[in-house]
Amino acid sequence: MYLLKEKDLETVLQYWKESFALFTPTEQDGAVHLLPYNKDTFTLDYVNFTMPFKKYLFGQKEKLFKWKTIEGSVEVTDIKSEDFDDRVFFGIRPCDAYSVDYLDQFFYERYKDDIYAANREKTYIVAMNCISPGNSCFCSSMGTGPFASRGYDLLFTPIDDGFLVESKTEKGQQLISIAAHLFFPTEEDMQSKKNEVYNKVKEKFSKKLNVMDAKKVLEESFDHKMWKELSKTCMGCIGCTSVCPTCTCFNVVDEDHGNGEGCRARYWDSCQADSFTRNAGGHNPRDGVSRVRYRIYDKMKYIDERYDFKGCVGCGRCIEVCPAFIDIVEIMNKLNDEYAKRHKDELNTCEVSEAKAEVPDHECSDDCSYVYTPKVAIINGIIQETGDIKRFIVQYEDKSLHQSLKYTGQFFKITVFGVGEIAISIPSGDFKKDYLEFYIKKAGKVTTALHNMKIGDRVGLRGPFGKGFPQEEIKGRDILIIGSGVGLAPVRTTIEAVLANREKYGKVVIIASARSYESLIYRDDLIQWSKLDGVKIMYALAKPTDAVEAHVGYINDLLPELGFNWKKATAIVCASPNRIKSVANELISLGMDGKDILTSLETHMRCGIGKCGHCKVGSKYMCVDGPVFNYEEMLTLPPEF
């Protein structure tokens, strides 16, 4: 611990400014912002900054890559983070400092976000403990303040006529060394004095969140009438998420700059926007009620479940900016009071859970730029499969990439440069080394652009991503594969693996379902598969046909006659969520275990690597935790897919 006299602070800041880009609390237009240091507008009289500190680590708009058409080909170039000097941010409040530790965990998990990492590595954080909380602050209830315990390099605590200064990292010690003659090591028992100040500050909080166990309270409150009432009040202005220190959702857009050039950028998005979870076909699984409810659950339950971090840091910004006066503290206190009446003595004292000690190893290489940047591929073939489905045969321009591909995922991200990107299932196994096939239904802007392309045109590919079907684990079992509509596409890789190793499986039945025979994909493949020993192909159609022998009606009608030993069978069902539930319930009634029924839940995916938030359902990201789940896992998810 060190002591710094208040009169010496300006000198210390000037030293730091000479070595770094320095940002400090700055008075501007009647508010206090975190801006480049100016001694004339510098202030220590503030509750918090208008915008969260995260904007300096995760920018409101950031370019991911740029592209340029050159003689029919496409050149793709990574855009590295801005080349700026190391930056010192002075005066960060404990709530924002806590959010930094969470952001580190989030952006480094599985796939490291190299843009965030570049910003973070050049950042020095000097936190300032609070001594005068604002009217909307409730960090003391969340355990994230008023004094900081994490997320900083140096920590200042106002005491008497100066500051108690604590260094937590090598970066913090480096900052002290720059003006070492002004920081006086103290041998006094300053911790007790600091605790005394802390206790006095805690007494000043007027807003308190009394919930004891938010996760349990919310588990029982999912269908509470409050959510419907709030949905009528919420304007969808997205102000709450814009000022939240832990909101990480973003959208991805392609910008066409003309002359065959453009870029892809991401910008902050919000789960409170009506279009956030809307799919290309127009279906939106999250209505107004679930939209409003989701924000509260994410902050108070889902983030905590997944990361062991508080998703709400108690800064109160969302309360301050809401024009409809929606108050997360009032909401949680009301739910808690009702829960307490039901359970009385069961509530435990709220404890702040500690975060994981280490960030998990990420799944990309040390250079993670490729997770956002596609590789260029050529369309070598286009086949019209049905009226609105085309099969695209594509090959990487760099053919060596096919040799290193691992088909352990479930989908690729396909880019139409200047238009956008979509997630498409992998329909073929790893034994096809020199090309990829994708079956694409015309449904939205990107798929329409793809349908308008011709042989020789270039697209971009990222992947494969996601968790696929467990081909090894199901060996030795009877296999039932059901594909409704275009649902056969996600399971074709598994079908090929099973048929290529037919002797390692029991009975194999494939049921293809569609409105009509003509709207089925893989019609020729289905006929060829039916000729294999031990493989039975069945059809469930809405309209009769003379092309094949088909049942006119529902899939469920065919299941009892299959003669499976249901205790030793695995079913793979790809259809709409309602159809999956209908089929799964029938299979369970026949004797199957829900864990043996596998599904693919493909929702609105933007980034494909668990960062943008669009496909998050509860605490799960469909793109990295799925899209393959067993039926029991599926039932634990909120009905927002």
Side-chain angles (χ1 to χ4, degrees), residues 184-356:
F184 299 98
T186 175
E187 297 180 358
E188 298 179 45
D189 182 13
M190 295 302 294
Q191 188 60 49
S192 59
K193 195 166 187 177
K194 179 183 175 183
N195 291 342
E196 185 179 324
V197 175
Y198 172 79
N199 291 329
K200 289 181 179 179
V201 176
K202 281 201 72 173
E203 293 176 0
K204 296 180 181 180
F205 282 83
S206 59
K207 186 173 283 291
K208 296 181 180 179
L209 194 151
N210 299 317
V211 69
M212 297 300 179
D213 192 328
K215 288 183 282 188
K216 287 184 178 179
V217 170
L218 290 174
E219 281 172 9
E220 289 193 10
S221 305
F222 194 81
D223 294 319
H224 198 287
K225 64 181 181 180
M226 180 193 297
W227 308 122
K228 187 173 182 179
E229 295 168 1
L230 289 172
S231 70
K232 296 176 182 177
T233 304
C234 177
M235 301 165 59
C237 69
I238 72 171
C240 54
T241 55
S242 298
V243 297
C244 178
T246 62
C247 277
T248 52
C249 293
F250 59 85
N251 199 2
V252 181
V253 296
D254 277 38
E255 299 178 356
D256 191 335
H257 300 157
N259 300 319
E261 297 184 25
C263 74
R264 177 166 295 159
R266 69 177 178 192
Y267 60 86
W268 288 2
D269 204 352
S270 171
C271 64
Q272 298 305 287
D274 287 335
S275 61
F276 188 74
T277 51
R278 188 170 61 224
N279 293 297
H283 171 64
N284 194 338
R286 194 178 288 168
D287 60 16
V289 175
S290 57
R291 174 176 58 83
V292 172
R293 176 178 57 207
Y294 175 80
R295 180 175 75 92
I296 308 299
Y297 274 65
D298 197 42
K299 297 303 164 190
M300 293 293 181
K301 184 175 187 289
Y302 299 151
I303 289 176
D304 198 350
E305 284 177 342
R306 186 177 184 90
Y307 297 102
D308 267 345
F309 270 92
K310 296 300 178 185
C312 173
V313 298
C315 68
R317 288 184 177 99
C318 62
I319 300 170
E320 292 283 342
V321 303
C322 182
F325 304 104
I326 294 174
D327 187 327
I328 191 171
V329 174
E330 292 179 1
I331 292 169
M332 292 305 300
N333 282 343
K334 180 178 179 179
L335 294 176
N336 178 71
D337 290 345
E338 294 180 7
Y339 181 90
K341 288 178 182 178
R342 293 193 299 270
H343 297 273
K344 293 184 179 179
D345 299 329
E346 295 179 21
L347 292 175
N348 299 316
T349 302
C350 180
E351 296 181 358
V352 179
S353 54
E354 287 297 318
K356 298 172 186 176

Side-chain angles (χ1 to χ4, degrees), residues 409-482:
Q410 182 66 7
F411 65 92
F412 270 82
K413 297 289 289 186
I414 302 181
T415 287
V416 178
F417 294 103
V419 179
E421 186 180 51
I422 53 170
I424 296 294
S425 298
I426 303 170
S428 55
D430 60 357
F431 41 82
K432 292 184 176 177
K433 294 293 188 181
D434 57 350
Y435 68 93
L436 293 160
E437 285 185 334
F438 299 102
Y439 288 72
I440 299 174
K441 182 177 181 179
K442 185 178 180 180
K445 180 178 69 173
V446 180
T447 53
T448 297
L450 273 165
H451 272 242
N452 291 334
M453 298 182 84
K454 59 186 184 298
I455 293 174
D457 286 344
R458 264 66 171 178
V459 294
L461 296 178
R462 290 193 298 128
F465 297 126
K467 182 179 71 175
F469 290 100
Q471 296 170 11
E472 288 297 318
E473 291 87 335
I474 63 176
K475 286 181 178 178
R477 301 173 66 85
D478 291 345
I479 306 297
L480 170 62
I481 297 175
I482 297 173

Side-chain angles (χ1 to χ4, degrees), residues 108-112 359-368:
Y108 278 83
E109 186 199 34
R110 292 195 179 179
Y111 295 94
K112 185 178 75 171
V359 176
D361 290 338
H362 47 87
E363 296 179 6
C364 46
S365 62
D366 289 336
D367 175 14
C368 292

Side-chain angles (χ1 to χ4, degrees), residues 594-610:
K595 294 179 181 178
D596 294 326
I597 302 171
L598 305 178
T599 67
S600 183
L601 305 177
E602 298 182 3
T603 57
H604 184 177
M605 299 178 187
R606 299 295 286 158
C607 70
I609 59 172

